[in-house]
Amino acid sequence: MSENCALRRANVLANHILQSPHHPSTISLAREACLQYTPPEVNESYGFQVKEMRKLLDGHNLEDRDWLYGIIIQSNLFNRKERGGGKVFVSPDYNETMEQQREISMKRIMYFLENGVFKGWLTETGPESELKKFALYEVCGMYDYSLSAKLGVHFLLWGNAIKFFGTKRHHEKWLKDTEDYLVKGCFAMTELGHGSNVKGIETVTSYDPRTEEFVINTPCESAQKYWIGEAAIHANHAIVISQLEINETNQGIHVFIAQIRDQDGNICPNIHIADCGHKIGLNGVDTGRIWFDNLRIPRENLLNSVADVSPDGEYVSAIKNPDQRFGAFLAPLTSGRVTIASCAIYSAKVGLAVAIRYSLSRRAFSIVANGPEVLLLDYPSHQRRLLPLLAKTYAMSFAANDMKMMYVKRTPETNKEIHVISMGLKALLTWHNMRTLQECREACGGQGLKTENRVGHLKGDYDVQTTFEGDNNVLMQQVSKSLFAEYVSCKKRNKPFKGLGLEHMNSPRPVLPTQLTSSTLRCSHFQQKNVFCLRERDLLERYTCEVAELQERGKSREFSFLLSHQLSEDLSKAFAEKAILQAVLDAEAKLPAGSIKDVMGLVRSMYALICMEEDPSFLRYGYLSRDSVGDVRREVSKLCRELRPHALALVTSFGIPDAFLGPIAFNWIEANAWS
């Protein structure tokens, strides 16, 4: 330590010690801020039209979204709070007990019902009504995922099960009453002993031809229905997924309607219900457990679009193959996965909007003596933390929009592709959301810990997405198996590849250049047709080859899949990331020349290159050399610098109302002032 520095510190310490204390009555709490908040808008410019970018990102139903934003913001039922400068914020009150969170969630649903939010959600058909429903789900999820999850259980699981598995008699009896909440439904599929393995469910239903009733029974503790949203308090009916035994023959899983409570909320006879208890998030959802003790239900309560039982007990189904019948029973889960994936991206948008706005007004440290402190987002390290995640969120938004459009325009011919893509995107987008929220939480420092700033608590609420309606790791294994089956089928029939985005397999194998310049790395043809297609092609060939070799050595096909899990993981990730990049390219191709197209090019290149940098497959299997990996890494840093001036415009384009963000996204000094 220099002599001058030591002397200066000694003088400061002496002055502090010798200073006479103030009398308490003279203490002033008047705020004389040393730091002044400067809104990011003062120093940051918009290099493109944010309203036009929002149209691209949201993709559909902007007016409906804004209408629901307004309904939420204007009502005190949504915990309106005014903070510094008269700024209004809405977010759930996490000081409430679990029981209070559950009740306020249901009150909010009833408020939505009174305002016509759910009109047509089950009784109207067609792409327009389905897209509107998706849009309103996404808004609900940004406010409180408990609210969105409760609606998902009621409409997407209970309601869609009746819609897809039921026939006219069920539609007429249940759909309108469900839409009006005269019936409150839940979806009893998972059990204590079986989650992802739906085929292994132990609940058993038999048929009594004397009374023309089905009898549902929980034969053991592991068969209790577990993690059933809405079951603990609010649901009065349940979709029950159960094995069906007819004349001592197991016909596999089937779908039934069972009343579990009367209209006064009393649990019905022959049913036991318990609470799953407090969770790390999503405590506004009353998650419960159900046991059936030889519960009798009318024969008509079998949802019979796939199979039926005659009054005298004869089993009838147009689908003779049990495996195909099982696949048909899982169809409603696709809409749930589509919704989960899109909601995950909107959660990531909230986190990024808060963290990036904060980083454009919060300063730390000076790089020159006595100079001004530096904005967080002007640090290259901070850019590296947030801007690649921002680019990924943009890319995944376009992929989610494409997936929704594919779903609402589905045909029997496209169902398989939707099923595979929704599994891959559900996994990747929910994982991305959790990683993004964690990085945003840390990027906000201590402020990220405050629930009012939204980011930290979103993590707890959205964590469940990675395992419900399909554990992500299991879903990704199914993606690889689907690609495997498609590859083997095409090769066996000597037919060209068609569907699942595998058409590139009909072309010659791409050859990557040895020298990767900046222009090469940013070239869309290089990114998609060369790098991403080569990775998927090579991994698919390696995977099928490894499984075949294991089978030749006497291993069963299923065991061979298990032993090849590492290639399976690499392949499914390559498939999903390529689908996402294609969605960005398709959106970019529709744009006229101009500022939005230019920024989209930067976002697309950032997405492609950060995927290349983060996936060890590129180096592990030799697609890129060590030098090329270094080129990619340097280009990502360069793209961070180029995206930095657009950061505010990019998060503003999310179109999220200020009230849905946290106080630190705005005047965080005023929001924390003594007054």
Side-chain angles (χ1 to χ4, degrees):
M1 184 184 293
S2 69
E3 185 177 342
N4 288 339
C5 184
L7 185 61
R8 186 166 61 252
R9 291 188 63 182
N11 287 333
V12 169
L13 186 60
N15 289 334
H16 178 72
I17 293 171
L18 294 174
Q19 194 174 36
S20 53
H22 290 289
H23 190 273
S25 62
T26 66
I27 293 177
S28 171
L29 291 175
R31 187 166 47 85
E32 296 182 33
C34 299
L35 289 172
Q36 295 294 321
Y37 170 79
T38 302
E41 288 81 0
V42 171
N43 297 315
E44 306 290 324
S45 60
Y46 292 166
F48 56 86
Q49 290 292 323
V50 295
K51 288 184 178 179
E52 293 304 310
M53 185 67 92
R54 186 201 167 187
K55 290 178 185 177
L56 291 174
L57 275 179
D58 276 340
H60 60 92
N61 296 91
L62 272 70
E63 290 183 2
D64 292 314
R65 295 174 194 271
D66 290 341
W67 169 71
L68 188 53
Y69 283 138
I71 281 179
I72 292 171
I73 293 169
Q74 72 187 12
S75 172
N76 289 329
L77 192 61
F78 293 87
N79 195 34
R80 279 169 53 97
K81 286 186 178 178
E82 189 173 310
R83 294 299 301 272
K87 202 85 174 168
V88 170
F89 295 96
V90 290
S91 66
D93 183 356
Y94 296 111
N95 291 312
E96 293 174 329
T97 64
M98 179 178 72
E99 291 75 19
Q100 289 171 326
Q101 288 182 54
R102 292 171 173 184
E103 287 311 306
I104 195 67
S105 292
M106 185 51 72
K107 286 180 181 178
R108 288 165 181 154
I109 287 173
M110 292 298 106
Y111 173 79
F112 284 162
L113 181 67
E114 293 165 8
N115 282 273
V117 173
F118 309 134
K119 186 177 184 298
W121 277 29
L122 289 172
T123 55
E124 294 178 9
T125 58
E128 289 185 4
S129 63
E130 291 200 80
L131 286 172
K132 179 180 178 180
K133 184 164 57 177
F134 279 132
L136 300 182
Y137 269 122
E138 288 156 4
V139 171
C140 289
M142 277 189 282
Y143 171 74
D144 179 13
Y145 196 51
S146 284
L147 193 57
S148 184
K150 284 174 80 73
L151 295 175
V153 168
H154 182 73
F155 286 102
L156 292 181
L157 294 178
W158 157 267
N160 276 355
I162 293 172
K163 203 169 185 177
F164 293 145
F165 296 149
T167 50
K168 185 178 179 182
R169 72 186 188 214
H170 302 109
H171 299 164
E172 291 176 348
K173 181 174 182 179
W174 299 102
L175 291 183
K176 185 67 169 68
D177 283 355
T178 295
E179 190 173 283
D180 294 340
Y181 267 89
L182 299 174
V183 169
K184 299 184 183 77
C186 64
F187 189 78
M189 182 171 75
T190 54
E191 298 177 351
L192 179 61
H194 291 88
S196 296
N197 181 15
V198 178
K199 275 188 178 180
I201 278 173
E202 296 174 288
T203 299
V204 177
T205 298
S206 57
Y207 181 68
D208 185 348
R210 295 170 303 169
T211 60
E212 296 187 17
E213 292 175 314
F214 288 104
V215 184
I216 306 175
N217 192 43
T218 303
C220 52
E221 284 298 346
S222 59
Q224 63 180 272
K225 293 299 182 181
Y226 211 97
W227 293 124
I228 311 305
E230 300 290 89
I233 298 173
H234 293 128
N236 49 35
H237 286 76
I239 290 292
V240 181
I241 310 294
S242 167
Q243 304 288 348
L244 173 61
E245 289 188 356
I246 301 291
N247 298 323
E248 298 184 355
T249 299
N250 185 2
Q251 299 292 348
I253 68 162
H254 286 68
V255 185
F256 303 87
I257 295 175
Q259 184 169 356
I260 60 174
R261 287 185 177 87
D262 62 24
Q263 290 304 310
D264 295 323
N266 302 307
I267 297 172
C268 293
N270 302 92
I271 289 175
H272 305 283
I273 296 177
D275 204 308
C276 283
H278 196 273
K279 307 180 288 288
I280 64 170
L282 222 62
N283 282 299
V285 180
D286 50 303
T287 315
R289 304 181 279 157
I290 308 174
W291 292 258
F292 301 99
D293 184 9
N294 295 312
L295 175 72
R296 288 180 172 267
I297 61 172
R299 184 181 70 87
E300 292 75 20
N301 282 22
L302 168 66
L303 296 180
N304 62 340
S305 67
V306 175
D308 206 352
V309 175
S310 66
D312 61 358
E314 182 185 357
Y315 181 78
V316 182
S317 177
I319 305 175
K320 303 303 179 186
N321 186 305
D323 289 334
Q324 291 179 357
R325 211 158 51 224
F326 172 75
F329 281 126
L330 297 183
L333 296 181
T334 299
S335 64
R337 288 170 187 152
V338 171
T339 306
I340 289 166
S342 61
C343 281
I345 286 307
Y346 278 89
S347 165
K349 288 177 182 178
V350 173
L352 285 164
V354 171
I356 287 177
R357 286 191 63 90
Y358 185 58
S359 72
L360 288 169
S361 65
R362 182 72 154 85
R363 297 175 179 272
F365 304 106
S366 303
I367 56 174
V368 295
N370 301 317
E373 290 184 283
V374 178
L375 284 173
L376 295 183
L377 201 59
D378 284 337
Y379 283 100
S381 58
H382 214 75
Q383 294 172 13
R384 260 281 183 166
R385 296 173 69 181
L386 296 179
L387 298 186
L389 294 173
L390 177 60
K392 279 190 169 186
T393 301
Y394 260 71
M396 291 176 180
S397 291
F398 293 116
N401 287 339
D402 282 1
M403 177 175 57
K404 285 183 282 185
M405 293 304 296
M406 187 185 297
Y407 178 77
V408 301
K409 295 179 179 179
R410 62 194 177 277
T411 64
E413 292 74 30
T414 61
N415 280 340
K416 176 183 175 182
E417 189 159 2
I418 295 167
H419 177 63
V420 177
I421 288 175
S422 67
M423 288 192 295
L425 292 188
K426 186 266 184 184
L428 237 61
L429 271 58
T430 56
W431 274 330
H432 166 76
N433 179 38
M434 294 311 297
R435 179 188 168 192
T436 299
L437 291 174
Q438 179 62 30
E439 197 64 67
C440 290
R441 206 298 294 157
E442 293 181 32
C444 292
Q447 292 292 344
L449 288 175
K450 295 186 71 174
T451 51
E452 71 171 7
N453 290 325
R454 309 273 349 251
V455 182
H457 212 97
L458 284 173
K459 275 179 54 196
D461 277 351
Y462 275 83
D463 196 319
V464 68
Q465 283 194 333
T466 60
T467 50
F468 77 175
E469 296 202 38
D471 177 284
N472 282 357
N473 287 285
V474 175
L475 291 180
M476 292 299 258
Q477 289 172 23
Q478 292 181 22
V479 169
S480 296
K481 287 181 181 179
S482 298
L483 296 173
F484 173 93
E486 191 70 19
Y487 182 90
V488 170
S489 174
C490 289
K491 289 296 183 181
K492 185 178 291 185
R493 293 182 293 116
N494 198 26
K495 292 286 183 73
F497 290 92
K498 185 179 180 181
L500 296 179
L502 294 177
E503 290 81 1
H504 67 92
M505 302 279 288
N506 300 319
S507 303
R509 188 184 185 89
V511 177
L512 302 186
T514 54
Q515 297 295 318
L516 298 182
T517 64
S518 178
S519 58
T520 300
L521 288 168
R522 297 190 186 202
C523 171
S524 60
H525 187 274
F526 167 79
Q527 293 163 359
Q528 179 72 322
K529 299 301 182 185
N530 288 1
V531 181
F532 278 54
C533 285
L534 174 61
R535 174 178 57 157
E536 182 182 54
R537 179 192 198 117
D538 183 67
L539 288 169
L540 181 51
E541 290 171 349
R542 287 174 184 269
Y543 182 54
T544 53
C545 182
E546 183 168 290
V547 171
E549 287 177 357
L550 287 165
Q551 286 182 282
E552 287 173 6
R553 283 188 259 156
K555 307 294 184 187
S556 70
R557 179 166 163 166
E558 282 304 315
F559 193 51
S560 298
F561 282 140
L562 295 179
L563 293 176
S564 302
H565 69 94
Q566 289 176 309
L567 274 170
S568 169
E569 292 167 7
D570 292 340
L571 171 60
S572 55
K573 182 180 180 183
F575 167 81
E577 288 185 344
K578 183 172 74 67
I580 293 167
L581 180 56
Q582 188 60 55
V584 187
L585 287 166
D586 292 343
E588 188 182 353
K590 296 173 186 174
L591 293 171
S595 56
I596 289 183
K597 193 179 185 78
D598 293 341
V599 172
M600 280 284 288
L602 295 176
V603 168
R604 183 248 308 149
S605 287
M606 175 65 92
Y607 171 76
L609 296 185
I610 198 64
C611 287
M612 291 165 63
E613 180 184 291
E614 291 177 346
D615 187 359
S617 294
F618 286 101
L619 192 57
R620 180 186 298 136
Y621 301 112
Y623 313 139
L624 297 177
S625 66
R626 288 174 61 184
D627 289 343
S628 294
V629 169
D631 293 334
V632 170
R633 189 175 182 83
R634 283 186 289 274
E635 198 65 25
V636 168
S637 296
K638 187 177 177 184
L639 282 164
C640 282
R641 294 193 294 273
E642 293 178 35
L643 279 171
R644 161 62 184 87
H646 301 290
L648 180 63
L650 288 168
V651 295
T652 303
S653 298
F654 291 158
I656 303 171
D658 293 355
F660 273 60
L661 305 179
I664 58 166
F666 304 97
N667 192 338
W668 42 271
I669 296 178
E670 185 71 36
N672 286 283
W674 174 260
S675 58

